[in-house]
């Protein structure tokens, strides 16, 4: 089953949006199989954003991610990687569509509340990076037959 990694960034936690963000993914019909609040080490933040290492915003981004707790989550469902990205919205909150998380609740690219894996392979890498196998709990939602044919 397809999985994605979603992190509520420090601004999402500080602004009290953890419940709202989780609720949007839950209500859509995806299954939460991993959830933890954590202080992120510099090493983990740098590894997570390694693809952006050479970009001018990298140091500031890492500083931000380690500055306060985040909530790391793993979600399961058919098409969850691309769908979660749609629910999250465009990277720049000012161009993110209303109705998306970033579009509804943020105004600045450096404070855009949430991270979501951008492809299935990225999701696999990120889930391995953030969660031990035993921290993930697959389960069968009772409403499954009402969600999917
Ligand atoms: N970012 C930034 N300034 C930029 C571009 C990106 O601060 O000019 C931050 C922003 O928080 C973004 C993260 O770096 O969410 C990762 O960038 P990416 O292009 O991967 O966007 P995402 O996948 O999060 O939409
Ligand atoms: Mg990205």
């Amino acid at each position: 089953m397809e999985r994605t990694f979603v992190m509520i960034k420090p601004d999402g936690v500080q602004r009290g949006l953890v419940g709202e963000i989780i609720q949007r993914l839950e209500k859509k019909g995806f299954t939460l199989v991993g959830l933890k609040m954590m202080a992120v080490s510099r090493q983990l933040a740098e590894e997570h954003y390694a693809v952006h290492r050479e970009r001018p915003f990298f140091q500031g981004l890492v500083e931000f991610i380690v500055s306060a707790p985040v909530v790391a989550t793993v979600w399961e469902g058919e098409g969850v990687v691309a769908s979660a990205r749609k629910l999250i919205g465009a990277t720049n909150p000012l161009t993110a569509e209303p109705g998306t998380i970033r579009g509804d609740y943020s105004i600045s690219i450096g404070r855009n509340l949430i991270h979501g894996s951008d492809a299935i392979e990225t999701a696999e890498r990120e889930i391995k990076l953030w969660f031990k196998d035993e921290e993930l709990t697959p389960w069968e939602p009772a409403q499954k037959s009402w969600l999917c044919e």
Side-chain angles (χ1 to χ4, degrees):
M1 179 57 81
E2 189 173 316
R3 284 178 174 175
T4 197
F5 172 69
V6 168
M7 176 203 7
I8 304 169
K9 295 179 181 177
D11 51 339
V13 175
Q14 297 297 323
R15 291 183 53 206
L17 291 169
V18 172
E20 171 70 28
I21 290 171
I22 287 176
Q23 188 169 62
R24 286 188 177 214
L25 287 147
E26 276 186 317
K27 280 187 171 171
K28 173 75 171 166
F30 294 123
T31 306
L32 183 60
V33 297
L35 173 70
K36 59 180 172 182
M37 166 161 262
M38 56 192 286
V40 182
S41 69
R42 188 165 299 269
Q43 188 189 349
L44 176 57
E46 287 179 353
E47 186 61 34
H48 174 74
Y49 282 120
V51 64
H52 296 309
R53 198 157 264 156
E54 305 305 327
R55 310 282 290 279
F57 59 83
F58 179 75
Q59 274 315 326
L61 178 59
V62 168
E63 290 302 330
F64 173 57
I65 296 298
V66 305
S67 68
V70 306
V71 172
T73 64
V74 177
W75 294 85
E76 202 171 79
E78 215 173 297
V80 68
V81 173
S83 180
R85 291 279 292 190
K86 278 203 162 184
L87 294 172
I88 289 168
T91 307
N92 181 348
L94 292 181
T95 54
E97 293 293 331
T100 65
I101 294 164
R102 287 169 172 167
D104 284 351
Y105 298 117
S106 59
I107 53 174
S108 168
I109 196 163
R111 298 289 185 271
N112 62 5
L113 298 173
I114 178 169
H115 164 86
S117 309
D118 63 9
I120 289 176
E121 309 75 59
T122 321
E124 283 166 2
R125 182 184 95 84
E126 292 174 353
I127 291 166
K128 262 197 215 117
L129 186 62
W130 287 81
F131 284 86
K132 296 181 186 131
D133 265 355
E134 61 267 29
E135 290 178 315
L136 298 175
T137 310
W139 56 287
E140 181 105 331
Q143 58 165 350
K144 197 176 166 192
S145 64
W146 300 104
L147 273 169
C148 305
E149 284 182 64

